[in-house]
Structures are given as C-alpha cells and as structure tokens.
Amino acid sequence: MKRVASVVALCVASWSFIFAQVGPPQGAPPPPAQGRQGGAPSPPQGRTPDLELLKQFDQDKNGWLNLTERTAARVRIAELRAGRGGRGASVATPVEPGPRMTPADVQNHPGKPLYDPATLRTVFLDFPDAGWEEDMEAFYHTDIEVPATMRVDGKSYPNVGLQFRGNSSFFSVARGRKRSLSVSMDHVNADQRLEGYSDLTFLNAHSDPTFLRSMVYLDMVRQYLPALKANYMRVVINGESWG
C-alpha cells in the first residue's frame, strides 16, 4: 500500500490517530481564544503566520467558501506565495492508490464511545472535487477549510471542514501520501458534532514507526492529569483507503 511507506520511518500498521481536547481542571484560568471564532495566538518563532482570507472571499457572507469562492481565493494565495516554492515534499517513488473501500466493507460501531480503545472505526471522507488535495495544499496555513461529507457508523455528516496540519508532518510528506488532517464538524452547521466533539485531529504518526507513542504516553498521563484523548482510526477518502 502506498500509505504505509508514505513518510520517513512511517508506520508498520496503516491506522491514524484521532484526538480531542479535554477541558482544564475546575478553577483553572481559561486558555486564550483560538480557531475560527477567536483571535489566534502568535505563531511560534520562524513559522509563517496563517493567511486570513475568509472574509475577503466569502461573497455570500455565510461563514465558509463554496467552490467558486475557493477558486478565487486560490488565485490570491498563489500571488501572495509566489516565489516561495512548492508545497510539501517532492515525490521520491511512484504513488500507488490504496485499496478501494465502501461503507459496506467495514463494521459499524453504534453506541460505542469514540475513544473506546477496543474499537477501530472507519471514517469516510467524500470531497465533491477530484482536486481536493491541491485545494488542501493551497489553503494550508490559512483560515480557509475545504468542505467534505463525512460518514461514520452509517451516519452522514455534511460539510465538515478539513485542512492539512502540522509542519514537518506536512512538508516532508509528498502529495498523494498520508498527511495529518484537522477536522471541523461545525464548519457549516454550528450544532454538528461527532459523538459530542466539534473538532478532531487525524495524525499520520509522522516519525513514529511503532504507532504507539501518542497512545501510550497519553494513557499514562491521564492517570495523573487532564490530557488529550486518543484512539486509532481508519480513513477512506473518495473511496480510497489512506490507512
């Protein structure tokens, strides 16, 4: 499978991690506002700040960009990034498609918690456009998300918002190979959730050949402190397994 060899020292198993934030202890001061609804914190030293273009190209003022609006935004992004080079790593070896999968090929787990360690769910992401990966590259480190339909456990979630995330896990991974994803369930519908969660992170386990580091570490930390939750997740994009 192309995804197993997709990253430097990638994984012996073709699963992804899924994360959600656990709230701070009672009485702790609130964290600074982040994300689409609040001011983003200053980027770390040396990191390119996110381009804020959503308001400029949101012609119908509905809070997200349709295909026509995203096309116009991509033209502007190309102008702003002219001369900065390509996005992501070059392809060292030919990319072979992953196996085809449909919801009928996987087991559903209704009623099981999203972070049940004994449950391996499959998430289907269906983009309406074949050029979804180029869109995601163009909108990397911007405030623009690419909409898709998510299907989990036989249930459909329309217009979730997706972005590529990370730094080394993005730039050292070539197009067509597995990159980490940020998922906003409430991209269009403010009330839409997956098992109560509005924001998820699908990690590609970059530089972790065991696929165990995050799971083991967070399991240990949660015994003593509030911490992130993590679980394994299989991701299928436009009918193709991405591990």
PDB file of all heavy atoms in Angstrom, residues 14-16 18 101 106-124 150-154 157 194-195 202 231-236 243:
ATOM      1  N   SER A  14      -1.389   0.532   9.223  1.00  0.00           N
ATOM      2  CA  SER A  14      -1.947   1.641   8.466  1.00  0.00           C
ATOM      3  C   SER A  14      -3.201   2.167   9.143  1.00  0.00           C
ATOM      4  O   SER A  14      -4.301   2.056   8.628  1.00  0.00           O
ATOM      5  CB  SER A  14      -2.263   1.201   7.031  1.00  0.00           C
ATOM      6  OG  SER A  14      -3.096   0.064   7.043  1.00  0.00           O
ATOM      7  N   TRP A  15      -3.028   2.787  10.303  1.00  0.00           N
ATOM      8  CA  TRP A  15      -4.099   3.443  11.017  1.00  0.00           C
ATOM      9  C   TRP A  15      -3.706   4.889  11.255  1.00  0.00           C
ATOM     10  O   TRP A  15      -2.559   5.259  11.138  1.00  0.00           O
ATOM     11  CB  TRP A  15      -4.368   2.783  12.370  1.00  0.00           C
ATOM     12  CG  TRP A  15      -4.851   1.371  12.265  1.00  0.00           C
ATOM     13  CD1 TRP A  15      -5.651   0.846  11.293  1.00  0.00           C
ATOM     14  CD2 TRP A  15      -4.572   0.295  13.174  1.00  0.00           C
ATOM     15  NE1 TRP A  15      -5.887  -0.476  11.529  1.00  0.00           N
ATOM     16  CE2 TRP A  15      -5.241  -0.846  12.691  1.00  0.00           C
ATOM     17  CE3 TRP A  15      -3.843   0.189  14.347  1.00  0.00           C
ATOM     18  CZ2 TRP A  15      -5.189  -2.075  13.325  1.00  0.00           C
ATOM     19  CZ3 TRP A  15      -3.798  -1.029  14.978  1.00  0.00           C
ATOM     20  CH2 TRP A  15      -4.458  -2.139  14.470  1.00  0.00           C
ATOM     21  N   SER A  16      -4.682   5.708  11.649  1.00  0.00           N
ATOM     22  CA  SER A  16      -4.404   7.091  12.020  1.00  0.00           C
ATOM     23  C   SER A  16      -4.871   7.323  13.440  1.00  0.00           C
ATOM     24  O   SER A  16      -5.722   6.611  13.958  1.00  0.00           O
ATOM     25  CB  SER A  16      -5.140   8.065  11.089  1.00  0.00           C
ATOM     26  OG  SER A  16      -4.622   7.978   9.781  1.00  0.00           O
ATOM     27  N   ILE A  18      -6.714   9.817  16.302  1.00  0.00           N
ATOM     28  CA  ILE A  18      -7.744  10.844  16.392  1.00  0.00           C
ATOM     29  C   ILE A  18      -7.677  11.427  17.794  1.00  0.00           C
ATOM     30  O   ILE A  18      -7.574  10.715  18.776  1.00  0.00           O
ATOM     31  CB  ILE A  18      -9.146  10.256  16.093  1.00  0.00           C
ATOM     32  CG1 ILE A  18     -10.232  11.292  16.284  1.00  0.00           C
ATOM     33  CG2 ILE A  18      -9.443   9.039  16.924  1.00  0.00           C
ATOM     34  CD1 ILE A  18     -11.608  10.792  15.865  1.00  0.00           C
ATOM     35  N   MET A 101     -12.547   1.044  -0.875  1.00  0.00           N
ATOM     36  CA  MET A 101     -13.388   0.630   0.246  1.00  0.00           C
ATOM     37  C   MET A 101     -14.706   1.384   0.190  1.00  0.00           C
ATOM     38  O   MET A 101     -14.758   2.545  -0.239  1.00  0.00           O
ATOM     39  CB  MET A 101     -12.696   0.912   1.589  1.00  0.00           C
ATOM     40  CG  MET A 101     -11.416   0.133   1.827  1.00  0.00           C
ATOM     41  SD  MET A 101     -10.763   0.337   3.518  1.00  0.00           S
ATOM     42  CE  MET A 101     -12.019  -0.574   4.445  1.00  0.00           C
ATOM     43  N   VAL A 106     -16.977  -2.326   5.856  1.00  0.00           N
ATOM     44  CA  VAL A 106     -16.467  -2.128   7.211  1.00  0.00           C
ATOM     45  C   VAL A 106     -17.553  -2.385   8.238  1.00  0.00           C
ATOM     46  O   VAL A 106     -18.748  -2.344   7.942  1.00  0.00           O
ATOM     47  CB  VAL A 106     -15.894  -0.703   7.393  1.00  0.00           C
ATOM     48  CG1 VAL A 106     -14.819  -0.420   6.355  1.00  0.00           C
ATOM     49  CG2 VAL A 106     -16.992   0.346   7.319  1.00  0.00           C
ATOM     50  N   GLN A 107     -17.127  -2.627   9.462  1.00  0.00           N
ATOM     51  CA  GLN A 107     -18.047  -2.849  10.566  1.00  0.00           C
ATOM     52  C   GLN A 107     -18.406  -1.521  11.213  1.00  0.00           C
ATOM     53  O   GLN A 107     -17.539  -0.673  11.430  1.00  0.00           O
ATOM     54  CB  GLN A 107     -17.412  -3.771  11.611  1.00  0.00           C
ATOM     55  CG  GLN A 107     -18.307  -4.094  12.798  1.00  0.00           C
ATOM     56  CD  GLN A 107     -17.625  -5.014  13.789  1.00  0.00           C
ATOM     57  OE1 GLN A 107     -16.490  -5.446  13.572  1.00  0.00           O
ATOM     58  NE2 GLN A 107     -18.297  -5.316  14.885  1.00  0.00           N
ATOM     59  N   ASN A 108     -19.680  -1.317  11.517  1.00  0.00           N
ATOM     60  CA  ASN A 108     -20.121  -0.134  12.242  1.00  0.00           C
ATOM     61  C   ASN A 108     -20.109  -0.404  13.739  1.00  0.00           C
ATOM     62  O   ASN A 108     -20.233  -1.549  14.183  1.00  0.00           O
ATOM     63  CB  ASN A 108     -21.521   0.292  11.801  1.00  0.00           C
ATOM     64  CG  ASN A 108     -21.548   0.796  10.373  1.00  0.00           C
ATOM     65  OD1 ASN A 108     -20.563   1.353   9.894  1.00  0.00           O
ATOM     66  ND2 ASN A 108     -22.660   0.607   9.684  1.00  0.00           N
ATOM     67  N   HIS A 109     -19.979   0.663  14.519  1.00  0.00           N
ATOM     68  CA  HIS A 109     -19.901   0.521  15.971  1.00  0.00           C
ATOM     69  C   HIS A 109     -20.837   1.505  16.667  1.00  0.00           C
ATOM     70  O   HIS A 109     -20.399   2.308  17.492  1.00  0.00           O
ATOM     71  CB  HIS A 109     -18.466   0.737  16.446  1.00  0.00           C
ATOM     72  CG  HIS A 109     -17.466  -0.168  15.798  1.00  0.00           C
ATOM     73  ND1 HIS A 109     -17.248  -1.461  16.236  1.00  0.00           N
ATOM     74  CD2 HIS A 109     -16.640   0.024  14.740  1.00  0.00           C
ATOM     75  CE1 HIS A 109     -16.313  -2.027  15.476  1.00  0.00           C
ATOM     76  NE2 HIS A 109     -15.939  -1.145  14.568  1.00  0.00           N
ATOM     77  N   PRO A 110     -22.125   1.482  16.347  1.00  0.00           N
ATOM     78  CA  PRO A 110     -23.051   2.410  17.007  1.00  0.00           C
ATOM     79  C   PRO A 110     -23.116   2.142  18.506  1.00  0.00           C
ATOM     80  O   PRO A 110     -23.116   0.997  18.953  1.00  0.00           O
ATOM     81  CB  PRO A 110     -24.388   2.112  16.327  1.00  0.00           C
ATOM     82  CG  PRO A 110     -24.263   0.709  15.821  1.00  0.00           C
ATOM     83  CD  PRO A 110     -22.820   0.542  15.444  1.00  0.00           C
ATOM     84  N   GLY A 111     -23.147   3.203  19.273  1.00  0.00           N
ATOM     85  CA  GLY A 111     -23.243   3.060  20.723  1.00  0.00           C
ATOM     86  C   GLY A 111     -21.906   2.929  21.421  1.00  0.00           C
ATOM     87  O   GLY A 111     -21.843   3.071  22.645  1.00  0.00           O
ATOM     88  N   LYS A 112     -20.829   2.646  20.679  1.00  0.00           N
ATOM     89  CA  LYS A 112     -19.506   2.557  21.294  1.00  0.00           C
ATOM     90  C   LYS A 112     -18.897   3.957  21.387  1.00  0.00           C
ATOM     91  O   LYS A 112     -18.986   4.734  20.437  1.00  0.00           O
ATOM     92  CB  LYS A 112     -18.587   1.657  20.469  1.00  0.00           C
ATOM     93  CG  LYS A 112     -18.974   0.185  20.477  1.00  0.00           C
ATOM     94  CD  LYS A 112     -18.691  -0.438  21.847  1.00  0.00           C
ATOM     95  CE  LYS A 112     -18.922  -1.949  21.818  1.00  0.00           C
ATOM     96  NZ  LYS A 112     -17.953  -2.651  20.975  1.00  0.00           N
ATOM     97  N   PRO A 113     -18.276   4.308  22.503  1.00  0.00           N
ATOM     98  CA  PRO A 113     -17.654   5.634  22.621  1.00  0.00           C
ATOM     99  C   PRO A 113     -16.611   5.853  21.534  1.00  0.00           C
ATOM    100  O   PRO A 113     -15.950   4.905  21.075  1.00  0.00           O
ATOM    101  CB  PRO A 113     -17.010   5.605  24.012  1.00  0.00           C
ATOM    102  CG  PRO A 113     -17.756   4.552  24.765  1.00  0.00           C
ATOM    103  CD  PRO A 113     -18.139   3.516  23.742  1.00  0.00           C
ATOM    104  N   LEU A 114     -16.452   7.108  21.127  1.00  0.00           N
ATOM    105  CA  LEU A 114     -15.496   7.427  20.073  1.00  0.00           C
ATOM    106  C   LEU A 114     -14.086   7.033  20.471  1.00  0.00           C
ATOM    107  O   LEU A 114     -13.269   6.656  19.623  1.00  0.00           O
ATOM    108  CB  LEU A 114     -15.550   8.927  19.763  1.00  0.00           C
ATOM    109  CG  LEU A 114     -14.754   9.417  18.564  1.00  0.00           C
ATOM    110  CD1 LEU A 114     -15.248   8.760  17.276  1.00  0.00           C
ATOM    111  CD2 LEU A 114     -14.826  10.932  18.452  1.00  0.00           C
ATOM    112  N   TYR A 115     -13.779   7.111  21.761  1.00  0.00           N
ATOM    113  CA  TYR A 115     -12.428   6.816  22.233  1.00  0.00           C
ATOM    114  C   TYR A 115     -12.344   5.475  22.973  1.00  0.00           C
ATOM    115  O   TYR A 115     -11.490   5.287  23.821  1.00  0.00           O
ATOM    116  CB  TYR A 115     -11.918   7.969  23.103  1.00  0.00           C
ATOM    117  CG  TYR A 115     -11.698   9.212  22.279  1.00  0.00           C
ATOM    118  CD1 TYR A 115     -12.677  10.194  22.197  1.00  0.00           C
ATOM    119  CD2 TYR A 115     -10.529   9.378  21.538  1.00  0.00           C
ATOM    120  CE1 TYR A 115     -12.487  11.315  21.411  1.00  0.00           C
ATOM    121  CE2 TYR A 115     -10.334  10.486  20.755  1.00  0.00           C
ATOM    122  CZ  TYR A 115     -11.317  11.456  20.686  1.00  0.00           C
ATOM    123  OH  TYR A 115     -11.138  12.563  19.897  1.00  0.00           O
ATOM    124  N   ASP A 116     -13.211   4.543  22.603  1.00  0.00           N
ATOM    125  CA  ASP A 116     -13.120   3.188  23.129  1.00  0.00           C
ATOM    126  C   ASP A 116     -11.871   2.527  22.559  1.00  0.00           C
ATOM    127  O   ASP A 116     -11.753   2.347  21.331  1.00  0.00           O
ATOM    128  CB  ASP A 116     -14.366   2.397  22.722  1.00  0.00           C
ATOM    129  CG  ASP A 116     -14.288   0.943  23.147  1.00  0.00           C
ATOM    130  OD1 ASP A 116     -13.470   0.629  24.045  1.00  0.00           O
ATOM    131  OD2 ASP A 116     -15.028   0.117  22.568  1.00  0.00           O
ATOM    132  N   PRO A 117     -10.891   2.163  23.388  1.00  0.00           N
ATOM    133  CA  PRO A 117      -9.622   1.627  22.863  1.00  0.00           C
ATOM    134  C   PRO A 117      -9.767   0.293  22.144  1.00  0.00           C
ATOM    135  O   PRO A 117      -8.857  -0.100  21.403  1.00  0.00           O
ATOM    136  CB  PRO A 117      -8.753   1.486  24.121  1.00  0.00           C
ATOM    137  CG  PRO A 117      -9.722   1.385  25.256  1.00  0.00           C
ATOM    138  CD  PRO A 117     -10.892   2.238  24.860  1.00  0.00           C
ATOM    139  N   ALA A 118     -10.876  -0.399  22.337  1.00  0.00           N
ATOM    140  CA  ALA A 118     -11.067  -1.693  21.677  1.00  0.00           C
ATOM    141  C   ALA A 118     -11.802  -1.567  20.350  1.00  0.00           C
ATOM    142  O   ALA A 118     -12.079  -2.569  19.699  1.00  0.00           O
ATOM    143  CB  ALA A 118     -11.843  -2.635  22.596  1.00  0.00           C
ATOM    144  N   THR A 119     -12.119  -0.334  19.929  1.00  0.00           N
ATOM    145  CA  THR A 119     -12.915  -0.116  18.729  1.00  0.00           C
ATOM    146  C   THR A 119     -12.095   0.598  17.661  1.00  0.00           C
ATOM    147  O   THR A 119     -11.482   1.635  17.937  1.00  0.00           O
ATOM    148  CB  THR A 119     -14.160   0.735  19.053  1.00  0.00           C
ATOM    149  OG1 THR A 119     -14.971   0.034  20.005  1.00  0.00           O
ATOM    150  CG2 THR A 119     -14.986   0.994  17.801  1.00  0.00           C
ATOM    151  N   LEU A 120     -12.049   0.039  16.468  1.00  0.00           N
ATOM    152  CA  LEU A 120     -11.406   0.677  15.323  1.00  0.00           C
ATOM    153  C   LEU A 120     -12.490   1.081  14.332  1.00  0.00           C
ATOM    154  O   LEU A 120     -13.055   0.247  13.631  1.00  0.00           O
ATOM    155  CB  LEU A 120     -10.397  -0.257  14.651  1.00  0.00           C
ATOM    156  CG  LEU A 120      -9.781   0.271  13.346  1.00  0.00           C
ATOM    157  CD1 LEU A 120      -8.974   1.542  13.599  1.00  0.00           C
ATOM    158  CD2 LEU A 120      -8.930  -0.796  12.674  1.00  0.00           C
ATOM    159  N   ARG A 121     -12.793   2.368  14.296  1.00  0.00           N
ATOM    160  CA  ARG A 121     -13.783   2.885  13.364  1.00  0.00           C
ATOM    161  C   ARG A 121     -13.133   3.235  12.020  1.00  0.00           C
ATOM    162  O   ARG A 121     -11.937   3.488  11.939  1.00  0.00           O
ATOM    163  CB  ARG A 121     -14.449   4.137  13.934  1.00  0.00           C
ATOM    164  CG  ARG A 121     -15.559   3.864  14.928  1.00  0.00           C
ATOM    165  CD  ARG A 121     -16.221   5.166  15.357  1.00  0.00           C
ATOM    166  NE  ARG A 121     -17.455   4.921  16.076  1.00  0.00           N
ATOM    167  CZ  ARG A 121     -17.517   4.666  17.385  1.00  0.00           C
ATOM    168  NH1 ARG A 121     -16.403   4.635  18.103  1.00  0.00           N
ATOM    169  NH2 ARG A 121     -18.682   4.453  17.972  1.00  0.00           N
ATOM    170  N   THR A 122     -13.982   3.284  10.999  1.00  0.00           N
ATOM    171  CA  THR A 122     -13.566   3.777   9.697  1.00  0.00           C
ATOM    172  C   THR A 122     -14.337   5.047   9.386  1.00  0.00           C
ATOM    173  O   THR A 122     -15.564   5.074   9.477  1.00  0.00           O
ATOM    174  CB  THR A 122     -13.819   2.737   8.597  1.00  0.00           C
ATOM    175  OG1 THR A 122     -13.103   1.538   8.911  1.00  0.00           O
ATOM    176  CG2 THR A 122     -13.365   3.252   7.239  1.00  0.00           C
ATOM    177  N   VAL A 123     -13.616   6.099   9.031  1.00  0.00           N
ATOM    178  CA  VAL A 123     -14.202   7.379   8.653  1.00  0.00           C
ATOM    179  C   VAL A 123     -14.091   7.531   7.139  1.00  0.00           C
ATOM    180  O   VAL A 123     -12.997   7.415   6.580  1.00  0.00           O
ATOM    181  CB  VAL A 123     -13.483   8.553   9.350  1.00  0.00           C
ATOM    182  CG1 VAL A 123     -13.929   9.876   8.764  1.00  0.00           C
ATOM    183  CG2 VAL A 123     -13.746   8.533  10.838  1.00  0.00           C
ATOM    184  N   PHE A 124     -15.214   7.771   6.484  1.00  0.00           N
ATOM    185  CA  PHE A 124     -15.239   8.022   5.052  1.00  0.00           C
ATOM    186  C   PHE A 124     -15.364   9.523   4.825  1.00  0.00           C
ATOM    187  O   PHE A 124     -16.289  10.164   5.338  1.00  0.00           O
ATOM    188  CB  PHE A 124     -16.412   7.291   4.396  1.00  0.00           C
ATOM    189  CG  PHE A 124     -16.261   5.797   4.371  1.00  0.00           C
ATOM    190  CD1 PHE A 124     -16.637   5.033   5.466  1.00  0.00           C
ATOM    191  CD2 PHE A 124     -15.729   5.151   3.262  1.00  0.00           C
ATOM    192  CE1 PHE A 124     -16.487   3.650   5.461  1.00  0.00           C
ATOM    193  CE2 PHE A 124     -15.579   3.768   3.245  1.00  0.00           C
ATOM    194  CZ  PHE A 124     -15.959   3.022   4.341  1.00  0.00           C
ATOM    195  N   MET A 150     -18.641  13.630   5.688  1.00  0.00           N
ATOM    196  CA  MET A 150     -18.079  12.553   6.499  1.00  0.00           C
ATOM    197  C   MET A 150     -19.154  11.516   6.772  1.00  0.00           C
ATOM    198  O   MET A 150     -20.297  11.862   7.064  1.00  0.00           O
ATOM    199  CB  MET A 150     -17.548  13.107   7.830  1.00  0.00           C
ATOM    200  CG  MET A 150     -17.071  12.036   8.801  1.00  0.00           C
ATOM    201  SD  MET A 150     -16.629  12.694  10.439  1.00  0.00           S
ATOM    202  CE  MET A 150     -15.032  13.423  10.074  1.00  0.00           C
ATOM    203  N   ARG A 151     -18.761  10.242   6.688  1.00  0.00           N
ATOM    204  CA  ARG A 151     -19.676   9.153   7.024  1.00  0.00           C
ATOM    205  C   ARG A 151     -19.002   8.251   8.056  1.00  0.00           C
ATOM    206  O   ARG A 151     -17.903   7.751   7.828  1.00  0.00           O
ATOM    207  CB  ARG A 151     -20.054   8.350   5.775  1.00  0.00           C
ATOM    208  CG  ARG A 151     -20.971   9.094   4.811  1.00  0.00           C
ATOM    209  CD  ARG A 151     -21.276   8.278   3.590  1.00  0.00           C
ATOM    210  NE  ARG A 151     -20.108   8.139   2.721  1.00  0.00           N
ATOM    211  CZ  ARG A 151     -20.022   7.310   1.692  1.00  0.00           C
ATOM    212  NH1 ARG A 151     -21.033   6.485   1.429  1.00  0.00           N
ATOM    213  NH2 ARG A 151     -18.938   7.259   0.951  1.00  0.00           N
ATOM    214  N   VAL A 152     -19.688   8.052   9.170  1.00  0.00           N
ATOM    215  CA  VAL A 152     -19.172   7.225  10.261  1.00  0.00           C
ATOM    216  C   VAL A 152     -20.321   6.394  10.817  1.00  0.00           C
ATOM    217  O   VAL A 152     -21.395   6.936  11.114  1.00  0.00           O
ATOM    218  CB  VAL A 152     -18.566   8.076  11.395  1.00  0.00           C
ATOM    219  CG1 VAL A 152     -17.928   7.178  12.453  1.00  0.00           C
ATOM    220  CG2 VAL A 152     -17.545   9.063  10.858  1.00  0.00           C
ATOM    221  N   ASP A 153     -20.106   5.097  10.974  1.00  0.00           N
ATOM    222  CA  ASP A 153     -21.123   4.211  11.556  1.00  0.00           C
ATOM    223  C   ASP A 153     -22.461   4.318  10.847  1.00  0.00           C
ATOM    224  O   ASP A 153     -23.530   4.274  11.471  1.00  0.00           O
ATOM    225  CB  ASP A 153     -21.296   4.503  13.049  1.00  0.00           C
ATOM    226  CG  ASP A 153     -20.097   4.072  13.871  1.00  0.00           C
ATOM    227  OD1 ASP A 153     -19.340   3.206  13.398  1.00  0.00           O
ATOM    228  OD2 ASP A 153     -19.914   4.611  14.980  1.00  0.00           O
ATOM    229  N   GLY A 154     -22.416   4.495   9.533  1.00  0.00           N
ATOM    230  CA  GLY A 154     -23.638   4.550   8.748  1.00  0.00           C
ATOM    231  C   GLY A 154     -24.348   5.886   8.767  1.00  0.00           C
ATOM    232  O   GLY A 154     -25.393   6.039   8.124  1.00  0.00           O
ATOM    233  N   TYR A 157     -22.455  13.134   7.777  1.00  0.00           N
ATOM    234  CA  TYR A 157     -22.254  14.468   8.350  1.00  0.00           C
ATOM    235  C   TYR A 157     -21.821  15.395   7.211  1.00  0.00           C
ATOM    236  O   TYR A 157     -20.647  15.401   6.813  1.00  0.00           O
ATOM    237  CB  TYR A 157     -21.187  14.435   9.440  1.00  0.00           C
ATOM    238  CG  TYR A 157     -21.497  13.500  10.588  1.00  0.00           C
ATOM    239  CD1 TYR A 157     -21.170  12.141  10.508  1.00  0.00           C
ATOM    240  CD2 TYR A 157     -22.118  13.963  11.753  1.00  0.00           C
ATOM    241  CE1 TYR A 157     -21.451  11.279  11.559  1.00  0.00           C
ATOM    242  CE2 TYR A 157     -22.403  13.110  12.801  1.00  0.00           C
ATOM    243  CZ  TYR A 157     -22.066  11.763  12.693  1.00  0.00           C
ATOM    244  OH  TYR A 157     -22.354  10.908  13.739  1.00  0.00           O
ATOM    245  N   LEU A 194     -19.598  15.003  16.190  1.00  0.00           N
ATOM    246  CA  LEU A 194     -19.382  13.559  16.104  1.00  0.00           C
ATOM    247  C   LEU A 194     -19.208  13.047  17.515  1.00  0.00           C
ATOM    248  O   LEU A 194     -18.192  13.330  18.162  1.00  0.00           O
ATOM    249  CB  LEU A 194     -18.144  13.232  15.257  1.00  0.00           C
ATOM    250  CG  LEU A 194     -17.783  11.751  15.169  1.00  0.00           C
ATOM    251  CD1 LEU A 194     -18.907  10.957  14.501  1.00  0.00           C
ATOM    252  CD2 LEU A 194     -16.465  11.544  14.427  1.00  0.00           C
ATOM    253  N   GLU A 195     -20.203  12.327  18.007  1.00  0.00           N
ATOM    254  CA  GLU A 195     -20.187  11.814  19.380  1.00  0.00           C
ATOM    255  C   GLU A 195     -19.873  12.925  20.388  1.00  0.00           C
ATOM    256  O   GLU A 195     -19.154  12.716  21.363  1.00  0.00           O
ATOM    257  CB  GLU A 195     -19.159  10.687  19.500  1.00  0.00           C
ATOM    258  CG  GLU A 195     -19.428   9.483  18.610  1.00  0.00           C
ATOM    259  CD  GLU A 195     -20.709   8.754  18.988  1.00  0.00           C
ATOM    260  OE1 GLU A 195     -21.055   8.738  20.187  1.00  0.00           O
ATOM    261  OE2 GLU A 195     -21.355   8.200  18.087  1.00  0.00           O
ATOM    262  N   PHE A 202      -6.684  14.158  12.936  1.00  0.00           N
ATOM    263  CA  PHE A 202      -6.236  12.855  12.444  1.00  0.00           C
ATOM    264  C   PHE A 202      -4.737  12.967  12.166  1.00  0.00           C
ATOM    265  O   PHE A 202      -4.325  13.633  11.215  1.00  0.00           O
ATOM    266  CB  PHE A 202      -6.966  12.469  11.156  1.00  0.00           C
ATOM    267  CG  PHE A 202      -8.447  12.227  11.317  1.00  0.00           C
ATOM    268  CD1 PHE A 202      -9.253  12.090  10.198  1.00  0.00           C
ATOM    269  CD2 PHE A 202      -9.032  12.138  12.563  1.00  0.00           C
ATOM    270  CE1 PHE A 202     -10.619  11.869  10.328  1.00  0.00           C
ATOM    271  CE2 PHE A 202     -10.395  11.920  12.703  1.00  0.00           C
ATOM    272  CZ  PHE A 202     -11.189  11.786  11.586  1.00  0.00           C
ATOM    273  N   ASN A 231      -7.234   7.697  19.951  1.00  0.00           N
ATOM    274  CA  ASN A 231      -7.674   6.371  19.538  1.00  0.00           C
ATOM    275  C   ASN A 231      -7.183   6.123  18.120  1.00  0.00           C
ATOM    276  O   ASN A 231      -6.705   7.050  17.455  1.00  0.00           O
ATOM    277  CB  ASN A 231      -9.194   6.250  19.610  1.00  0.00           C
ATOM    278  CG  ASN A 231      -9.658   4.820  19.743  1.00  0.00           C
ATOM    279  OD1 ASN A 231      -8.857   3.895  19.779  1.00  0.00           O
ATOM    280  ND2 ASN A 231     -10.968   4.606  19.813  1.00  0.00           N
ATOM    281  N   TYR A 232      -7.298   4.903  17.654  1.00  0.00           N
ATOM    282  CA  TYR A 232      -6.953   4.595  16.275  1.00  0.00           C
ATOM    283  C   TYR A 232      -8.171   4.788  15.374  1.00  0.00           C
ATOM    284  O   TYR A 232      -9.314   4.577  15.787  1.00  0.00           O
ATOM    285  CB  TYR A 232      -6.454   3.156  16.163  1.00  0.00           C
ATOM    286  CG  TYR A 232      -5.123   2.928  16.841  1.00  0.00           C
ATOM    287  CD1 TYR A 232      -5.049   2.210  18.031  1.00  0.00           C
ATOM    288  CD2 TYR A 232      -3.950   3.440  16.292  1.00  0.00           C
ATOM    289  CE1 TYR A 232      -3.830   2.006  18.659  1.00  0.00           C
ATOM    290  CE2 TYR A 232      -2.736   3.240  16.910  1.00  0.00           C
ATOM    291  CZ  TYR A 232      -2.671   2.525  18.094  1.00  0.00           C
ATOM    292  OH  TYR A 232      -1.470   2.325  18.724  1.00  0.00           O
ATOM    293  N   MET A 233      -7.910   5.182  14.125  1.00  0.00           N
ATOM    294  CA  MET A 233      -8.985   5.456  13.178  1.00  0.00           C
ATOM    295  C   MET A 233      -8.493   5.152  11.765  1.00  0.00           C
ATOM    296  O   MET A 233      -7.376   5.530  11.400  1.00  0.00           O
ATOM    297  CB  MET A 233      -9.386   6.931  13.261  1.00  0.00           C
ATOM    298  CG  MET A 233     -10.576   7.304  12.415  1.00  0.00           C
ATOM    299  SD  MET A 233     -12.140   6.770  13.143  1.00  0.00           S
ATOM    300  CE  MET A 233     -12.333   8.001  14.435  1.00  0.00           C
ATOM    301  N   ARG A 234      -9.304   4.435  10.988  1.00  0.00           N
ATOM    302  CA  ARG A 234      -9.000   4.223   9.575  1.00  0.00           C
ATOM    303  C   ARG A 234      -9.716   5.310   8.770  1.00  0.00           C
ATOM    304  O   ARG A 234     -10.877   5.625   9.026  1.00  0.00           O
ATOM    305  CB  ARG A 234      -9.481   2.845   9.117  1.00  0.00           C
ATOM    306  CG  ARG A 234      -9.165   2.551   7.658  1.00  0.00           C
ATOM    307  CD  ARG A 234      -9.825   1.268   7.173  1.00  0.00           C
ATOM    308  NE  ARG A 234      -9.292   0.090   7.842  1.00  0.00           N
ATOM    309  CZ  ARG A 234      -9.988  -0.714   8.636  1.00  0.00           C
ATOM    310  NH1 ARG A 234     -11.265  -0.445   8.890  1.00  0.00           N
ATOM    311  NH2 ARG A 234      -9.446  -1.773   9.186  1.00  0.00           N
ATOM    312  N   VAL A 235      -9.016   5.888   7.780  1.00  0.00           N
ATOM    313  CA  VAL A 235      -9.570   6.979   6.989  1.00  0.00           C
ATOM    314  C   VAL A 235      -9.642   6.570   5.518  1.00  0.00           C
ATOM    315  O   VAL A 235      -8.653   6.119   4.942  1.00  0.00           O
ATOM    316  CB  VAL A 235      -8.724   8.259   7.139  1.00  0.00           C
ATOM    317  CG1 VAL A 235      -9.277   9.379   6.246  1.00  0.00           C
ATOM    318  CG2 VAL A 235      -8.712   8.710   8.594  1.00  0.00           C
ATOM    319  N   VAL A 236     -10.822   6.750   4.918  1.00  0.00           N
ATOM    320  CA  VAL A 236     -11.041   6.471   3.499  1.00  0.00           C
ATOM    321  C   VAL A 236     -11.461   7.769   2.840  1.00  0.00           C
ATOM    322  O   VAL A 236     -12.420   8.417   3.267  1.00  0.00           O
ATOM    323  CB  VAL A 236     -12.128   5.386   3.306  1.00  0.00           C
ATOM    324  CG1 VAL A 236     -12.387   5.148   1.819  1.00  0.00           C
ATOM    325  CG2 VAL A 236     -11.728   4.089   3.991  1.00  0.00           C
ATOM    326  N   GLY A 243      -5.257   4.509   4.959  1.00  0.00           N
ATOM    327  CA  GLY A 243      -4.645   3.947   6.159  1.00  0.00           C
ATOM    328  C   GLY A 243      -5.251   4.487   7.423  1.00  0.00           C
ATOM    329  O   GLY A 243      -6.199   5.251   7.418  1.00  0.00           O
TER     330      GLY A 243
END
